[in-house]
Structure formats: C-alpha cells, structure tokens
Amino acid sequence: MTPSQINDMLGKMDEVRNVFVMSQRSLPFLEELFRFLKEISPTLDEINRYIEETARKMPRATTQLQSVSEANRLATTEILDMVDIVIARIEEIRALVEQGARLDTALADADDRILLLLREQLQDSHAVLLADVEQLLLRKDAIRKKRIALSEPLFDGLNEIRDRANRIMLSLQVQDITAQQITAVNHLIESIRSRMHLLVSRINPAGYDGTVEPETAAVSTTFDPDASYDHTPDRQSMVDAIFEGQADALPEENVSMAKSARTENDALPSPLSGRMSLSDSKNDLTGVPESGGDGYEGTVAHLSRNAPSPPNSEKASQDEIDRLFNGKQ
Amino acid sequence: MLLHQETLAMKILIVDDSPTMRRIVSNNLREIGYTQVTEAEDGEDAMTKLAEDTYDLVITDWNMPNMDGLQLTLAIRRHERLHTLPVLMVTTRGLKQDVIAAMQAGVNGYVVKPFAADVLKDKISLILNYREHIAS
C-alpha cells in the first residue's frame, strides 16, 4: 500500500466518521420528527373528518340559499300583484271622479238651459220668482264649484299614490339583484366544495367514498358577481359619460378600447351622444366584431362570462366622473 | 321629453331571464305609454321572436342563460334584416370595461340596474326619437 493510498483511505474514514457524527447529532431531531408525526396523525384524521363533514353540509347550505332566493322571488311576485291591483284601483277611482266631473258639467249646462227658458217665459210676468230661481241656481253653481275644488286634491292624491306605487315596483329590482348575489355566493360555495373534494380524495384516497363530490350543475352560472343595489347616480353618470364620447378622458388602459368602441358603434350611433350627426346613420357594420365558430362568439365574448373583475375594473366615483367630464384624467 | 303617438305605438321586445325584471320593465313601459310590449326569457328566445315579428327596440339584460345580452346584440348586428335594430342594455353590470364591451358589441344605450323610471324613459325616448328623426 502506497502512502497516497493510505492517505485516501484515511480521508474516506474521516468522511465516514463525519457521517456518524452527523447522524448522532440528527438522531434527536429525527426522533422528535417521528414523535411529532405520530402525534399529528390523529389530528390529521380529525381535520380530514371535519373537511368531509363540512363538504357534506355545503349542498344543504346551497339549497337553503336557493330557497331564500325562491321565497324572495315569490314574495316579490306577490308584491307586484298587489301593486298592479293598487294601480288598477287608482285608475278605477280616477275614472269615477272624472265621470263625476263630467256629470257636474252636464248638470251645470242643464241649469243654464233651464235658466234661459225661465227667462224667456217668465221675465215679464214673474220677475220675483225668476230672481229667486236665479239666486238658487247661483248658490247651486257655487256648491258645484266647491265640489270641483275638492276633487282637485283628490286627483293630486291619486297621482301621488300611483307614483309611489310605481316607485315600490321599481324598488323590487332588488329581487333580481339579491338573486344574483345569492347565486354568486352559491357559486363560491360550490368552488370551495370542489376544492375540498380534491383535498379529501388526496388526504385519504382509500377511505374516501366520493360523497362530497361537487354538484356544480345545481347552481346557475348566469349572474353578475359585482351586482349591487346601488341607487346613487354615479354608475349611470359614468355610463352616460362613456356614451357621450368621453373616451379620451378614460384611464390609459381603456382608451384604445373605448375609441374602438366608438368607431365600431358608429354603425348604429349612440343616440345618447352629444356628437350625433346625420352621417352617423349609415349602416356600415364592417367594424362589428366577427363571429367565431359558434356564431355568437365575438371579440368581446370573453367579457360576457362571470370572471372575477380585474384590478383595473373599478366602479367610477363621483370625482372620477367629474374628471371624465372635464377631461382631466 | 314629449313622446309622439307614433313613438308610443312602437313595438318593444324585453329580454331578461328574471320574470320579476321583465314585469317591472314591462309595467314601466306601459306606465310611460308603450302598449306593444313582448317578453323573451333569453337571447335565443329573443332571436326566435325577432324572426317571427318586427320590433322597433330591444331592451335586454346582460347575464342570461343560453345566449346573453352581449351575444344577442352581436347576433342582431350581424343579422341581415335586424342589423339596424336599436338595442338598449339594462344590466347590473356597471364597470367601465362592461360599458365599453357593450358599445363594441353595438348597443345604442346602457342603463344600470337598479334604474329610476325617468332614466329608462329618457334612454328609450332618445333612441326611438332619434330613429324617427333618421327615418324622416
């Protein structure tokens, strides 16, 4: 054995010694790890059971939310029925009052004709009697005018009730909006359930019986995830600003889209635009996005899905609307 | 804005998957004075009704099953006979990108839900009066 071979052997032995030292040092850590895994195992089983149980409860939550939505819809229909009846009754009362007014006018005409006849027949022979009749008819006319005056606030009241009934009807738009909000929540629950299904099947593939499998078909997918019952005029003002050709005032990322929209929409001009001209009436549809294979897919079709809103798709604030109008963006 | 008798006689198609919304819009139109109002429950149903009869205005929701309001607008704009038919979008979607997408698709007006009676009335009368003006 040469000295270099001896040196090599000594080097290898040193490495082996290092391994032993390393193993000796890591042994307590490995023991600790084994102990931890042994302890965590029942906890993992517990978590697994909890996830399975929660996932099983989710369809019930979805069904309950759908019941809420359905009850809301039925109640709204009942209110709409009532509003329709109220409006119909108002119209009946208005018609009766108007009929009464017409009868009053006819009575007044008849009185005028009676007075005319009496004047012709009795003027010379019964002057006193004629004067009395004239006085009576004048009193009658004054009473009739008072009654007409009383019916004016009645008309005002009927108009006000009708206006308020219409406002109630418009407020019932809340049903459509809450239905979309509930559908959005249901969609979210189904997404979580789907993830849980995946998790459970991965944690315990042998014990998994598939009972938490997602039932996404049960949830409608036609909803606006950002639907809100917002009565402020801000959003409509923003829409009107865009339609009025304020594209130049939009944030940079929207400018090209908006300008493009104006060009393409010139085929059927926006009547809301303050820049309308007769030349806008041409029916040149060359700018309209072409269809895809199914006949309905256009260049904007991706925006019609229920995808979550990207970060730059904010709702307009009043300040922003002011900037849109003033072109100070 | 005053509405002419001819304008009030125009035929309007309401497209919405929500029966409540169809009823509200329909009642509102009748309140304004429009009497010839027909309803469709989605874009496909609307296209069927548009093929069967002539309409002067389509008022459509955006989010609907089968064919949504945007797809309906695109289908109308590509249709040989219907391509000039005015479309008013009435929707909960009020983001800028939605409005721009609707404009790109070819809608002539856009109303955000919940709407007030005067807003719907103004938008409809602007569209129909403008159409009358062009026709004359």
Side-chain angles (χ1 to χ4, degrees), chain A residues 62-80 172 174-176 178-179 182 186, chain B residues 20:
Chain A
T62 309
T63 309
Q64 279 174 341
L65 282 173
Q66 281 170 339
S67 303
V68 169
S69 196
E70 182 58 19
N72 195 7
R73 192 187 67 76
L74 286 173
T76 304
T77 304
E78 284 174 9
I79 297 168
L80 277 170
L172 295 174
V174 71
Q175 187 271 324
D176 179 48
T178 53
I182 288 172
N186 270 344
Chain B
T20 305

Side-chain angles (χ1 to χ4, degrees), chain A residues 57-266:
Chain A
K57 282 178 184 168
M58 281 184 170
R60 202 168 62 204
T62 309
T63 309
Q64 279 174 341
L65 282 173
Q66 281 170 339
S67 303
V68 169
S69 196
E70 182 58 19
N72 195 7
R73 192 187 67 76
L74 286 173
T76 304
T77 304
E78 284 174 9
I79 297 168
L80 277 170
D81 289 345
M82 293 295 171
V83 170
D84 279 350
I85 291 167
V86 168
I87 290 175
R89 288 289 293 144
I90 289 168
E91 287 313 304
E92 283 171 19
I93 294 166
R94 189 204 300 274
L96 285 172
V97 175
E98 281 172 351
Q99 198 181 354
R102 279 195 298 274
L103 288 173
D104 274 338
T105 309
L107 279 174
D109 286 346
D111 285 346
D112 286 347
R113 288 173 66 187
I114 289 167
L115 190 62
L116 204 66
L117 279 171
L118 288 174
R119 275 176 186 156
E120 282 173 10
Q121 300 296 323
L122 307 175
Q123 196 166 21
D124 299 328
S125 55
H126 297 83
V128 177
L129 176 66
L130 187 62
D132 287 345
V133 170
E134 279 180 347
Q135 279 303 312
L136 282 170
L137 286 177
L138 277 174
R139 274 183 64 193
K140 192 179 171 186
D141 193 49
I143 292 167
R144 189 178 60 83
K145 280 176 180 161
K146 270 186 188 172
R147 203 169 68 179
I148 289 170
L150 283 174
S151 67
E152 278 172 15
L154 181 64
F155 273 119
D156 291 343
L158 287 174
N159 286 337
E160 190 186 337
I161 294 167
R162 188 181 173 122
D163 183 50
R164 287 182 188 275
N166 280 319
R167 285 188 197 186
I168 290 170
M169 185 182 69
L170 285 169
S171 295
L172 295 174
Q173 290 176 84
V174 71
Q175 187 271 324
D176 179 48
I177 292 162
T178 53
Q180 292 195 54
Q181 288 170 334
I182 288 172
T183 307
V185 173
N186 270 344
H187 193 73
L188 183 68
I189 289 172
E190 281 303 322
S191 300
I192 294 169
R193 203 162 96 92
S194 178
R195 295 281 170 89
M196 282 183 162
H197 154 70
L198 201 69
L199 196 63
V200 169
S201 62
R202 278 182 184 168
I203 290 173
N204 187 15
Y208 175 57
D209 60 2
T211 50
V212 294
E213 209 159 318
E215 294 168 4
T216 45
V219 178
S220 165
T221 52
T222 55
F223 63 90
D224 171 13
D226 299 313
S228 64
Y229 192 67
D230 180 3
H231 265 304
T232 58
D234 291 9
R235 294 197 302 164
Q236 189 60 48
S237 301
M238 184 272 291
V239 169
D240 293 348
I242 293 172
F243 266 78
E244 282 163 13
Q246 297 289 331
D248 292 341
L250 290 171
E252 196 55 42
E253 65 269 22
N254 285 336
V255 169
S256 59
M257 280 182 81
K259 282 181 176 171
S260 159
R262 283 299 309 160
T263 309
E264 289 169 354
N265 208 27
D266 279 350

Side-chain angles (χ1 to χ4, degrees), chain A residues 81 84 162 166 173 175-176 222 224 235-236 238 265 268 271 283 285 295-296 300 303-304 313 320, chain B residues 20 23 27 31 65 67-68 77-78 83-84 92-96 104 106-108 110 112-113 115 127:
Chain A
D81 289 345
D84 279 350
R162 188 181 173 122
N166 280 319
Q173 290 176 84
Q175 187 271 324
D176 179 48
T222 55
D224 171 13
R235 294 197 302 164
Q236 189 60 48
M238 184 272 291
N265 208 27
L268 261 171
N283 292 327
L285 289 173
Y296 297 118
V300 291
L303 292 171
S304 71
S313 56
E320 192 174 20
Chain B
T20 305
R23 195 164 165 187
N27 282 4
E31 184 68 23
M67 187 197 287
D68 67 28
R77 292 289 167 260
R78 282 198 299 269
H83 69 272
T84 57
T92 54
R93 303 177 78 121
L95 302 176
K96 281 178 194 166
Q104 282 183 314
V107 303
N108 302 89
Y110 197 103
V112 184
K113 292 178 194 170
F115 60 83
I127 291 173

